[in-house]
Protein backbone atom coordinates (compact mmCIF):
# COMPACT_ATOMS: atom_id res chain seq x y z
CA UNK A 1 0.00 0.00 0.00
CA UNK A 2 1.38 3.40 -0.92
CA UNK A 3 -1.49 5.83 -0.63
CA UNK A 4 -2.23 7.57 2.65
CA UNK A 5 -5.91 6.63 2.50
CA UNK A 6 -4.93 2.95 2.16
CA UNK A 7 -2.86 3.11 5.35
CA UNK A 8 -5.75 4.82 7.13
CA UNK A 9 -8.16 2.19 5.81
CA UNK A 10 -5.89 -0.53 7.19
CA UNK A 11 -5.74 1.17 10.60
CA UNK A 12 -9.53 1.49 10.70
CA UNK A 13 -9.92 -2.17 9.78
CA UNK A 14 -7.52 -3.23 12.56
CA UNK A 15 -9.29 -1.03 15.09
CA UNK A 16 -12.71 -2.39 14.16
CA UNK A 17 -11.38 -5.96 14.33
CA UNK A 18 -9.87 -5.47 17.77
CA UNK A 19 -13.13 -3.86 18.95
CA UNK A 20 -15.08 -6.83 17.53
CA UNK A 21 -17.12 -4.44 15.42
CA UNK A 22 -17.78 -7.15 12.87
CA UNK A 23 -19.95 -5.20 10.38
CA UNK A 24 -17.33 -2.47 10.03
CA UNK A 25 -14.37 -4.85 10.14
CA UNK A 26 -15.86 -7.10 7.48
CA UNK A 27 -16.61 -4.21 5.18
CA UNK A 28 -13.16 -2.62 5.56
CA UNK A 29 -11.17 -5.85 5.18
CA UNK A 30 -13.16 -6.64 2.05
CA UNK A 31 -12.48 -3.17 0.62
CA UNK A 32 -8.77 -3.63 1.14
CA UNK A 33 -8.79 -7.14 -0.31
CA UNK A 34 -10.69 -6.09 -3.41
CA UNK A 35 -8.41 -3.11 -3.92
CA UNK A 36 -5.28 -5.28 -3.73
CA UNK A 37 -6.64 -8.81 -4.27
CA UNK A 38 -3.40 -10.70 -4.88
CA UNK A 39 -0.63 -9.09 -2.84
CA UNK A 40 0.70 -11.37 -0.06
CA UNK A 41 -1.11 -9.44 2.70
CA UNK A 42 -4.45 -9.89 0.94
CA UNK A 43 -4.64 -13.56 1.99
CA UNK A 44 -5.26 -12.53 5.60
CA UNK A 45 -7.62 -9.70 4.55
CA UNK A 46 -9.87 -12.10 2.62
CA UNK A 47 -9.80 -14.45 5.60
CA UNK A 48 -10.62 -11.70 8.10
CA UNK A 49 -13.48 -10.42 5.96
CA UNK A 50 -14.96 -13.91 5.64
CA UNK A 51 -14.55 -14.57 9.37
CA UNK A 52 -16.26 -11.30 10.30
CA UNK A 53 -19.29 -12.30 8.24
CA UNK A 54 -19.22 -15.75 9.85
CA UNK A 55 -19.48 -14.03 13.24
CA UNK A 56 -22.40 -12.05 11.83
CA UNK A 57 -24.04 -15.29 10.62
CA UNK A 58 -24.14 -13.77 7.14
CA UNK A 59 -23.49 -17.11 5.49
CA UNK A 60 -23.86 -16.09 1.85
CA UNK A 61 -21.21 -13.40 2.32
CA UNK A 62 -18.98 -15.67 4.42
CA UNK A 63 -19.22 -18.24 1.62
CA UNK A 64 -18.29 -15.78 -1.16
CA UNK A 65 -15.38 -14.25 0.75
CA UNK A 66 -14.33 -17.65 2.08
CA UNK A 67 -13.86 -18.91 -1.45
CA UNK A 68 -11.51 -16.00 -2.11
CA UNK A 69 -9.57 -16.71 1.09
CA UNK A 70 -9.32 -20.44 0.36
CA UNK A 71 -8.13 -19.78 -3.19
CA UNK A 72 -5.08 -18.04 -1.73
CA UNK A 73 -4.36 -20.63 0.99
CA UNK A 74 -2.14 -23.71 0.90
CA UNK A 75 -3.92 -27.09 1.10
CA UNK A 76 -2.87 -29.77 3.57
CA UNK A 77 -1.74 -27.47 6.38
CA UNK A 78 -4.96 -27.29 8.42
CA UNK A 79 -5.47 -23.71 7.29
CA UNK A 80 -8.59 -22.32 9.04
CA UNK A 81 -9.63 -20.62 5.80
CA UNK A 82 -10.63 -24.06 4.50
CA UNK A 83 -12.52 -24.94 7.69
CA UNK A 84 -14.55 -21.73 7.62
CA UNK A 85 -15.30 -22.26 3.94
CA UNK A 86 -16.39 -25.82 4.73
CA UNK A 87 -18.91 -24.49 7.26
CA UNK A 88 -20.26 -21.80 4.95
CA UNK A 89 -20.44 -24.15 1.95
CA UNK A 90 -22.31 -26.72 4.06
CA UNK A 91 -24.87 -24.13 5.12
CA UNK A 92 -25.23 -23.01 1.50
CA UNK A 93 -25.51 -26.71 0.55
CA UNK A 94 -22.69 -26.49 -1.96
CA UNK A 95 -21.51 -30.00 -1.20
CA UNK A 96 -18.77 -30.11 -3.84
CA UNK A 97 -17.11 -27.02 -2.38
CA UNK A 98 -17.58 -28.36 1.16
CA UNK A 99 -15.85 -31.63 0.23
CA UNK A 100 -13.00 -29.75 -1.44
CA UNK A 101 -12.61 -27.49 1.61
CA UNK A 102 -12.50 -30.36 4.12
CA UNK A 103 -10.01 -32.25 1.95
CA UNK A 104 -7.84 -29.15 1.54
CA UNK A 105 -7.87 -28.69 5.31
CA UNK A 106 -6.55 -32.24 5.66
CA UNK A 107 -9.64 -34.29 6.54
CA UNK A 108 -10.85 -37.49 4.95
CA UNK A 109 -14.43 -37.17 3.76
CA UNK A 110 -16.34 -39.70 1.65
CA UNK A 111 -16.44 -39.16 -2.09
CA UNK A 112 -19.72 -38.61 -3.85
CA UNK A 113 -22.33 -35.98 -4.54
CA UNK A 114 -24.95 -34.40 -2.32
CA UNK A 115 -24.97 -34.28 1.47
CA UNK A 116 -22.02 -35.71 3.33
CA UNK A 117 -23.35 -38.58 5.43
CA UNK A 118 -20.55 -40.19 7.43
CA UNK A 119 -19.75 -41.10 11.04
CA UNK A 120 -17.34 -38.67 12.64
CA UNK A 121 -18.14 -39.97 16.13
CA UNK A 122 -20.16 -38.50 18.97
CA UNK A 123 -19.55 -35.16 20.62
CA UNK A 124 -21.31 -32.74 22.97
CA UNK A 125 -23.03 -29.80 21.29
CA UNK A 126 -24.05 -26.62 23.12
CA UNK A 127 -27.39 -25.66 21.62
CA UNK A 128 -28.19 -22.02 20.92
CA UNK A 129 -30.09 -21.77 24.23
CA UNK A 130 -27.10 -23.02 26.24
CA UNK A 131 -28.18 -26.63 26.82
CA UNK A 132 -25.49 -29.22 26.08
CA UNK A 133 -26.56 -32.46 24.38
CA UNK A 134 -24.78 -35.39 22.78
CA UNK A 135 -24.85 -35.68 19.01
CA UNK A 136 -23.41 -37.84 16.26
CA UNK A 137 -21.31 -35.93 13.74
CA UNK A 138 -22.32 -36.54 10.14
CA UNK A 139 -19.51 -34.41 8.73
CA UNK A 140 -16.95 -32.04 10.22
CA UNK A 141 -19.66 -29.44 10.98
CA UNK A 142 -23.07 -31.20 11.10
CA UNK A 143 -24.37 -33.40 13.91
CA UNK A 144 -27.62 -35.21 14.71
CA UNK A 145 -28.94 -34.72 18.27
CA UNK A 146 -29.03 -37.99 20.24
CA UNK A 147 -30.56 -36.72 23.49
CA UNK A 148 -34.07 -35.37 24.02
CA UNK A 149 -33.47 -31.67 24.69
CA UNK A 150 -35.77 -29.88 27.11
CA UNK A 151 -38.68 -28.09 25.42
CA UNK A 152 -37.21 -24.76 26.55
CA UNK A 153 -34.14 -25.38 24.37
CA UNK A 154 -36.16 -25.04 21.16
CA UNK A 155 -34.55 -28.20 19.79
CA UNK A 156 -35.76 -31.80 19.34
CA UNK A 157 -34.35 -35.31 19.31
CA UNK A 158 -32.99 -36.24 15.88
CA UNK A 159 -32.51 -32.72 14.60
CA UNK A 160 -29.39 -31.91 12.62
CA UNK A 161 -27.48 -28.81 13.65
CA UNK A 162 -24.44 -27.06 12.23
CA UNK A 163 -21.77 -26.49 14.85
CA UNK A 164 -18.64 -24.38 15.05
CA UNK A 165 -15.15 -25.82 14.74
CA UNK A 166 -13.62 -24.14 17.79
CA UNK A 167 -14.24 -26.09 21.04
CA UNK A 168 -15.88 -24.22 23.92
CA UNK A 169 -15.53 -26.50 26.92
CA UNK A 170 -14.97 -30.22 27.51
CA UNK A 171 -16.84 -33.25 28.82
CA UNK A 172 -14.94 -36.21 30.27
CA UNK A 173 -16.68 -39.61 30.31
CA UNK A 174 -14.97 -42.82 31.43
CA UNK A 175 -11.60 -41.13 31.19
CA UNK A 176 -12.11 -39.88 27.63
CA UNK A 177 -12.38 -36.16 26.98
CA UNK A 178 -14.69 -34.77 24.29
CA UNK A 179 -14.65 -31.15 23.02
CA UNK A 180 -17.93 -29.20 23.27
CA UNK A 181 -18.89 -27.36 20.09
CA UNK A 182 -21.36 -24.48 19.90
CA UNK A 183 -24.38 -24.71 17.61
CA UNK A 184 -24.40 -22.23 14.73
CA UNK A 185 -27.86 -22.98 13.34
CA UNK A 186 -30.55 -25.61 12.85
CA UNK A 187 -29.88 -27.43 9.59
CA UNK A 188 -32.77 -29.91 9.53
CA UNK A 189 -35.75 -30.03 11.89
CA UNK A 190 -37.23 -33.18 13.45
CA UNK A 191 -40.86 -34.20 13.09
CA UNK A 192 -40.89 -35.90 16.51
CA UNK A 193 -42.45 -33.64 19.18
CA UNK A 194 -41.26 -33.59 22.78
CA UNK A 195 -43.77 -34.71 25.42
CA UNK A 196 -43.09 -34.42 29.14
CA UNK A 197 -44.43 -36.95 31.67
CA UNK A 198 -43.97 -37.62 35.38
CA UNK A 199 -42.85 -41.12 36.32
CA UNK A 200 -42.16 -43.11 39.45
CA UNK A 201 -39.49 -45.78 39.01
CA UNK A 202 -38.63 -48.24 41.77
CA UNK A 203 -35.06 -48.91 40.62
CA UNK A 204 -32.45 -47.39 38.30
CA UNK A 205 -33.01 -50.40 36.06
CA UNK A 206 -36.64 -49.32 35.63
CA UNK A 207 -35.40 -45.97 34.35
CA UNK A 208 -32.99 -47.66 31.94
CA UNK A 209 -35.81 -49.94 30.76
CA UNK A 210 -37.94 -46.91 29.90
CA UNK A 211 -35.16 -45.43 27.78
CA UNK A 212 -34.55 -48.80 26.11
CA UNK A 213 -38.25 -49.26 25.28
CA UNK A 214 -38.46 -45.95 23.42
CA UNK A 215 -35.13 -46.61 21.72
CA UNK A 216 -36.41 -49.95 20.40
CA UNK A 217 -39.16 -48.10 18.55
CA UNK A 218 -36.84 -45.48 17.07
CA UNK A 219 -37.83 -42.86 19.64
CA UNK A 220 -36.10 -41.58 22.78
CA UNK A 221 -36.72 -40.95 26.48
CA UNK A 222 -34.62 -38.55 28.57
CA UNK A 223 -35.09 -38.92 32.37
CA UNK A 224 -34.28 -35.89 34.49
CA UNK A 225 -31.84 -38.01 36.51
CA UNK A 226 -29.62 -38.13 33.42
CA UNK A 227 -29.36 -34.34 33.18
CA UNK A 228 -26.86 -32.05 34.92
CA UNK A 229 -27.66 -28.39 35.51
CA UNK A 230 -24.55 -26.19 35.17
CA UNK A 231 -23.87 -22.47 35.18
CA UNK A 232 -22.44 -21.00 31.99
CA UNK A 233 -18.94 -20.72 33.47
CA UNK A 234 -18.85 -24.37 34.50
CA UNK A 235 -20.43 -25.51 31.24
CA UNK A 236 -17.61 -23.89 29.25
CA UNK A 237 -14.97 -25.61 31.38
CA UNK A 238 -14.09 -29.28 31.85
CA UNK A 239 -17.00 -31.32 33.22
CA UNK A 240 -16.69 -34.94 34.35
CA UNK A 241 -19.77 -37.06 33.65
CA UNK A 242 -20.84 -40.62 34.37
CA UNK A 243 -22.00 -42.60 31.37
CA UNK A 244 -25.08 -43.76 33.29
CA UNK A 245 -26.20 -41.99 36.46
CA UNK A 246 -29.94 -42.60 36.41
CA UNK A 247 -31.57 -42.90 39.81
CA UNK A 248 -34.85 -44.32 41.03
CA UNK A 249 -37.83 -42.34 42.34
CA UNK A 250 -40.20 -39.76 40.99
CA UNK A 251 -38.90 -37.59 38.18
CA UNK A 252 -39.76 -35.82 34.96
CA UNK A 253 -39.05 -37.52 31.64
CA UNK A 254 -38.92 -35.88 28.21
CA UNK A 255 -40.11 -38.17 25.43
CA UNK A 256 -39.43 -37.89 21.70
CA UNK A 257 -42.25 -39.81 20.01
CA UNK A 258 -45.49 -39.22 18.13
CA UNK A 259 -48.07 -37.93 20.58
CA UNK A 260 -50.45 -40.79 19.81
CA UNK A 261 -47.79 -43.36 20.75
CA UNK A 262 -46.81 -41.98 24.14
CA UNK A 263 -49.60 -43.42 26.29
CA UNK A 264 -49.32 -46.90 24.80
CA UNK A 265 -45.57 -47.07 25.33
CA UNK A 266 -45.78 -45.70 28.86
CA UNK A 267 -48.53 -48.18 29.75
CA UNK A 268 -46.42 -51.03 28.34
CA UNK A 269 -43.50 -49.90 30.49
CA UNK A 270 -45.69 -49.88 33.60
CA UNK A 271 -47.26 -53.28 32.80
CA UNK A 272 -43.85 -54.95 32.90
CA UNK A 273 -43.44 -54.10 36.60
CA UNK A 274 -46.68 -52.53 37.87
CA UNK A 275 -45.62 -52.49 41.52
CA UNK A 276 -42.52 -50.43 40.79
CA UNK A 277 -43.56 -48.27 37.86
CA UNK A 278 -46.13 -45.54 37.39
CA UNK A 279 -46.64 -42.50 35.19
CA UNK A 280 -48.94 -39.50 35.03
CA UNK A 281 -49.51 -36.49 32.82
CA UNK A 282 -48.49 -35.80 29.26
CA UNK A 283 -47.58 -32.25 28.31
CA UNK A 284 -46.44 -31.58 24.77
CA UNK A 285 -43.58 -29.11 24.62
Amino acid sequence: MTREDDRELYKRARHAWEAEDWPVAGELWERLARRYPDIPAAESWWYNAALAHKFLRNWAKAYDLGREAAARSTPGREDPAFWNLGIAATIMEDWATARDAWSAYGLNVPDGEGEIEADFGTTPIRLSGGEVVWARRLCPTRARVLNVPTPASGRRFGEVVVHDGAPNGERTVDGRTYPVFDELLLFRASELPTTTVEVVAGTPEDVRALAALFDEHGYAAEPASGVQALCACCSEGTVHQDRDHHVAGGQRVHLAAPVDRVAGLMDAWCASAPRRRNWTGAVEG
Side-chain angles (χ1 to χ4, degrees):
M1 294 182 294
T2 58
R3 296 184 298 177
E4 182 66 30
D5 62 327
D6 292 332
R7 288 194 289 269
E8 182 61 28
L9 185 62
Y10 176 79
K11 291 179 182 178
R12 290 170 55 204
R14 285 288 304 273
H15 178 76
W17 184 264
E18 292 168 0
E20 298 185 0
D21 186 347
W22 306 126
V24 172
E27 190 268 333
L28 294 179
W29 287 125
E30 182 182 2
R31 282 174 58 186
L32 278 170
R34 293 196 183 282
R35 186 172 292 180
Y36 303 98
D38 296 313
I39 67 172
E43 179 180 338
S44 65
W45 299 343
W46 288 115
Y47 173 80
N48 288 349
L51 187 58
H53 285 285
K54 175 195 170 188
F55 293 149
L56 292 169
R57 305 297 189 257
N58 183 346
W59 298 111
K61 194 72 173 176
Y63 168 79
D64 289 338
L65 295 171
R67 287 170 62 91
E68 297 285 357
R72 294 163 175 80
S73 301
T74 303
R77 297 183 181 178
E78 297 188 354
D79 192 315
F82 294 116
W83 193 284
N84 288 338
L85 176 58
I87 293 176
T90 295
I91 293 171
M92 301 301 292
E93 300 191 48
D94 179 351
W95 301 108
T97 296
R99 281 184 168 83
D100 289 345
W102 301 131
S103 296
Y105 182 82
L107 300 176
N108 292 320
V109 294
D111 295 330
E113 298 179 356
E115 286 189 32
I116 301 171
E117 293 282 350
D119 184 357
F120 281 74
T122 57
T123 195
I125 302 291
R126 180 175 293 102
L127 302 176
S128 56
E131 186 172 331
V132 177
V133 298
W134 286 87
R136 182 167 299 282
R137 300 176 75 187
L138 306 176
C139 74
T141 194
R142 285 159 52 248
R144 178 172 287 112
V145 176
L146 299 175
N147 293 119
V148 184
T150 62
S153 72
R155 292 287 173 264
R156 291 177 169 181
F157 166 78
E159 291 189 321
V160 177
V161 298
V162 177
H163 63 80
D164 206 352
N168 186 17
E170 296 177 333
R171 296 293 183 271
T172 300
V173 181
D174 294 341
R176 180 177 174 182
T177 298
Y178 300 81
V180 180
F181 297 106
D182 290 336
E183 174 194 341
L184 294 175
L185 55 78
L186 175 64
F187 186 82
R188 181 161 292 111
S190 169
E191 296 181 356
L192 289 178
T194 302
T195 300
T196 302
V197 299
E198 298 287 341
V199 308
V200 176
T203 68
E205 183 56 39
D206 291 323
V207 181
R208 287 189 283 271
L210 176 59
L213 174 63
F214 275 74
D215 182 66
E216 289 169 7
H217 289 80
Y219 309 137
E222 193 75 38
S225 58
V227 178
Q228 286 182 282
L230 301 170
C231 67
C233 182
C234 293
S235 177
E236 294 175 3
T238 300
V239 179
H240 294 266
Q241 294 181 318
D242 296 326
R243 185 169 295 278
D244 183 355
H245 55 270
H246 295 309
V247 299
Q251 59 189 291
R252 184 171 296 172
V253 179
H254 299 302
L255 307 171
V259 175
D260 60 1
R261 295 295 310 278
V262 169
L265 289 170
M266 292 304 302
D267 288 343
W269 173 72
C270 289
S272 297
R275 294 185 178 181
R276 299 197 313 267
R277 303 175 184 177
N278 188 29
W279 77 281
T280 59
V283 178
E284 187 178 351

